[in-house]
Amino acid sequence: MKRLPLAAGAALAVWTLAAPLFLERGTLNDVWNLAFAVILASAWNILGGFAGQVSLGYSAFLGIGAYTTVLLSLKGINPFWTLPLGAVLAALFSVVIGLPAFRLRGPYFTIATIGVGEAVRVVASSVSFTGGSSGLRMPAGSFDFTLNYEAMAALAIVTVVIAALVRRSAFGHALAAIKQDIDAAESLGVDSTRFKLGAHALSAALVALAGSLYAINFQYIAPGSVFDFRLSLAIVLAPIVGGVGTVAGPVLGAIVFSTLQIKLLSVPALRDSYLFIYGGLLILVMLYEPKGLVGLARRLVARVRRTPAAPAEAARAA
Amino acid sequence: MQDIAGVLVNTVISAALYATMAYGLAVIYGVMRIINLAHAGLMMLGAYATLALFTRFGLDPFLSLLVVGPLFFLIGVVLYRLVVRRLPRSGSTPSMESLLLLFGVWLVLQNLAYVIWTGDTQSILTSYTMKSVPVLGVRVGVPSLFVFAGSVLSLVFLNVVLKATYLGKAIRAVTQNRDAALLAGVDADRISAMAFGLGTAFAGVAGGMLSSLYAFTPDFGRSFLLKAFCIIVLGGMESVTGVAAGALVLAFLENGLGSWTTLPTSLQDAASFTLLFVTLVAFPQGLPGLAARVRAVFK
């Protein structure tokens, strides 16, 4: 039973990587979107779920990755070579933001991150080297969708694996301690700021990588697309609906989220209002099952077995 | 000189509006320790309600505030009874659940507006929208003056309610100490519903006034929400004078940046986000905390 999620994950990973062999372009595009959502959700979850620091400013990192890629490509550099630099820049920015912001706790941190995200968007649309609010286009050239797809799929798998590794490591335990009781963690010698900064940088870098691939795929970026507040929303909603703080939750949430999104976006009347469903989902999750779909599944399993969850399981779920 | 007068007049005018937006948040925060992210959505809805009254019945946007205010009070009470009350009680600090729940409410409101009114930009044009009159030698738009008057009236109304009625006293009591208020026989649940209604009414009124100054879409309200946050954080979250002071500081900063620097207008919006961030980090107790610290230094 323990190995079941691992096997399912491995099968899903292989299927995703091999998908270009048997899926047509349209469906493949949907899977690309799904992988993109999985990366954002799982990466956000490292800070937001494991450490409990809910940030609503993640579009900033996505945008940094995307802009780094486009700006350097315009200088004639191969887009894929720009990925590491975008990740490093996003990680640095996350530290610059985190150093002051992590002095804030809970909702105050969240509000500060809304401010950061908005400020970055406003600045990006008013300075000139980013092309202002009209955005930037990638240099004309050959674009290989299959290559981009494989990169996105691989990044999604790597992100989930990293999340799983973090969860098991001492680092992950420190984050869990910070989430449960930051004062108690501090008094036991956990340097909470350092661990929060580390989690922030790691998730920012992963999100920036996804942002770079996003730019390569769409060939055009603007502050209204990559720095959009709705993007920050989507990044947060998927893991919360799926189940924060677990490895499977964000993946599940992202799958549900992007499948619904694809379905809803194909209905013209709902094109602008598809987030309605997520607002409703968010309300339901917060009121009835704060642990999300994963929590719901665990409760159902426990009920079917008619025995309370084993103490170790319950502790891990907390 | 002219310049200074201009900045000061505009500062006072925008500060009154900002204070109206911020009080709604502050009342709810005080009574329930909830950060109401849905405030932005309610302001947006207030703007659309004003628009609907204007186009359907030809009601002047400022007269319609008399309808919008009570209507939004009811909406707030219903919202509280249906959704907010079901949240697990949090202690002295706001809980993440309440923040995310109201975030969900905001999303629902926003997208409901997309369904009803589509994403097209709307604005309210009255006979006096483009007119302006001189105030202390500064030309001020007539709608801005009406907004100022409306804000001052709402603030006076709120003050009277808080100071002179049982409801106001109960709200202040619960804000100061919930448990003590319960012991004294205050029905905290009822008071919470009333406070949520009052806060929502202020959001609606502020939104209605904003609609005669700015064009709006269902996405409207986010930057104003951040301004309101900035103000209550500056003002120290619970104090009435603090909110007014915070509104003045923010309005002065924005107007000053606009007149005395060459910063592009689009960047001026970043002023409030920056101020919010700096305040939260450098002196989270807000202006009252800062004042206390300054006093301590000079003692």
Side-chain angles (χ1 to χ4, degrees):
Chain A
M1 197 62 196
K2 268 266 155 81
R3 301 202 170 266
L4 191 65
L6 196 66
L12 193 63
V14 171
W15 181 86
T16 317
L17 283 173
L21 298 176
F22 48 83
L23 285 183
E24 47 164 341
R25 172 71 191 261
T27 325
L28 211 54
N29 217 11
D30 292 348
V31 184
W32 181 94
N33 269 316
L34 217 147
F36 182 57
V38 166
I39 297 165
L40 301 183
S42 292
W44 180 89
N45 189 49
I46 293 175
L47 180 72
F50 294 166
Q53 309 294 311
V54 174
S55 166
L56 292 177
Y58 263 58
S59 61
F61 307 129
L62 193 97
I64 287 173
Y67 270 97
T68 308
T69 294
V70 177
L71 285 170
L72 287 178
S73 305
L74 285 170
K75 297 242 184 302
I77 298 171
N78 180 331
F80 283 99
W81 289 109
T82 66
L83 263 66
L85 184 66
V88 169
L89 285 178
L92 283 179
F93 184 68
S94 81
V95 173
V96 171
I97 293 303
L99 272 175
F102 281 135
R103 296 176 53 186
L104 304 169
R105 291 189 179 180
Y108 302 103
F109 171 75
T110 308
I111 294 174
T113 58
I114 303 180
V116 170
E118 285 288 286
V120 169
R121 182 178 58 81
V122 168
V123 169
S125 34
S126 39
V127 292
S128 57
F129 77 93
T130 59
S133 52
S134 48
L136 287 173
R137 194 165 286 285
M138 284 283 275
S142 61
F143 164 63
D144 183 354
F145 177 74
T146 314
L147 182 62
N148 189 288
Y149 172 85
E150 290 293 353
M152 196 60 106
L155 183 59
I157 294 162
V158 168
T159 306
V160 175
V161 169
I162 288 178
L165 290 178
V166 165
R167 181 127 178 89
R168 276 146 203 264
S169 66
F171 177 49
H173 293 308
L175 294 180
I178 290 170
K179 180 181 182 178
Q180 279 190 358
D181 187 335
I182 188 165
D183 294 315
E186 285 266 351
S187 69
L188 288 173
V190 175
D191 183 350
S192 70
T193 310
R194 224 183 66 206
F195 282 107
K196 285 195 272 189
L197 284 176
H200 202 199
L202 178 61
S203 61
L206 291 168
V207 168
L209 289 173
S212 296
L213 293 175
Y214 175 97
I216 296 172
N217 190 46
F218 287 105
Q219 299 278 304
Y220 167 75
I221 54 167
S225 64
V226 289
F227 287 124
D228 189 1
F229 188 61
R230 289 181 167 219
L231 207 59
S232 284
L233 291 188
I235 295 174
V236 179
L237 288 183
I240 289 178
V241 168
V244 286
T246 58
V247 175
V251 178
L252 204 62
I255 291 173
V256 170
F257 194 96
S258 47
T259 318
L260 261 177
Q261 183 163 343
I262 291 160
K263 292 266 182 293
L264 292 178
L265 280 177
S266 60
V267 183
L270 291 176
R271 191 152 293 156
D272 276 334
S273 56
Y274 67 94
L275 283 167
F276 185 87
I277 306 283
Y278 302 116
L281 270 179
L282 188 55
I283 295 175
L284 288 179
V285 167
M286 279 304 129
L287 286 181
Y288 299 109
E289 187 54 75
K291 293 202 177 85
L293 293 174
V294 169
L296 192 67
R298 283 204 179 122
R299 268 216 305 222
L300 288 179
V301 168
R303 179 166 292 182
V304 168
R305 285 185 188 163
R306 290 210 167 251
T307 50
E313 277 275 308
R316 218 150 52 84
Chain B
M1 252 342 263
Q2 180 62 32
D3 230 22
I4 294 176
V7 169
L8 291 183
V9 167
N10 285 318
T11 296
V12 171
I13 288 177
S14 11
L17 173 63
Y18 289 177
T20 310
M21 299 185 315
Y23 272 120
L25 273 180
V27 168
I28 291 175
Y29 178 85
V31 172
M32 277 167 283
R33 293 291 182 277
I34 281 176
I35 294 175
N36 184 9
L37 277 183
H39 207 67
L42 293 164
M43 285 197 275
M44 175 274 298
L45 220 56
Y48 275 100
T50 311
L51 175 76
L53 288 171
F54 180 68
T55 47
R56 282 282 162 78
F57 307 109
L59 202 59
D60 181 271
F62 290 96
L63 283 178
S64 69
L65 294 182
L66 295 174
V67 182
V68 169
L71 177 70
F72 274 67
F73 181 82
L74 288 180
I75 293 178
V77 172
V78 169
L79 204 57
Y80 176 82
R81 294 249 178 248
L82 281 184
V83 183
V84 182
R85 192 169 58 160
R86 290 167 198 272
L87 275 173
R89 265 244 76 74
S90 64
S92 55
T93 49
S95 69
M96 228 41 239
E97 282 85 13
S98 64
L99 187 85
L100 290 170
L101 177 87
L102 285 153
F103 187 38
V105 172
W106 178 15
L107 277 183
V108 168
L109 292 178
Q110 193 185 58
N111 292 292
L112 209 59
Y114 272 117
V115 172
I116 301 176
W117 292 288
T118 73
D120 299 341
T121 307
Q122 305 278 2
S123 57
I124 296 182
L125 274 179
T126 56
S127 53
Y128 51 84
T129 297
M130 295 300 175
K131 293 219 173 75
S132 66
V133 290
V135 177
L136 302 175
V138 184
R139 288 211 80 79
V140 179
V142 173
S144 302
L145 279 184
F146 281 152
V147 165
F148 179 70
S151 307
V152 170
L153 284 177
S154 333
L155 296 178
V156 168
F157 171 77
L158 180 70
N159 239 339
V160 170
V161 168
L162 284 181
K163 288 268 152 65
T165 64
Y166 172 79
L167 172 67
K169 283 176 193 161
I171 285 179
R172 284 188 296 145
V174 176
T175 302
Q176 277 171 15
N177 189 331
R178 188 182 182 91
D179 294 328
L182 279 170
L183 283 175
V186 173
D187 183 350
D189 185 47
R190 221 177 104 85
I191 294 306
S192 297
M194 294 289 140
F196 205 87
L198 210 57
T200 307
F202 265 73
V205 167
M209 293 197 290
L210 285 168
S211 73
S212 55
L213 295 180
Y214 304 95
F216 49 94
T217 66
D219 199 28
F220 186 68
R222 195 166 63 240
S223 66
F224 293 103
L225 176 72
L226 281 166
K227 283 177 193 184
F229 275 141
C230 178
I231 289 163
I232 60 170
V233 167
L234 262 177
M237 292 286 190
E238 284 160 40
S239 107
V240 174
T241 38
V243 170
L248 277 171
V249 169
L250 177 64
F252 181 71
L253 187 73
E254 285 185 344
N255 284 299
L257 279 178
S259 308
W260 294 322
T261 64
T262 50
L263 226 55
T265 334
S266 51
L267 268 180
Q268 279 168 34
D269 253 358
S272 58
F273 317 146
T274 316
L275 187 61
L276 171 72
F277 195 77
V278 169
T279 314
L280 273 175
V281 169
F283 45 106
Q285 302 293 311
L287 292 174
L290 192 68
R293 245 193 276 174
V294 170
R295 270 201 300 277
V297 168
F298 285 106
K299 235 173 206 168

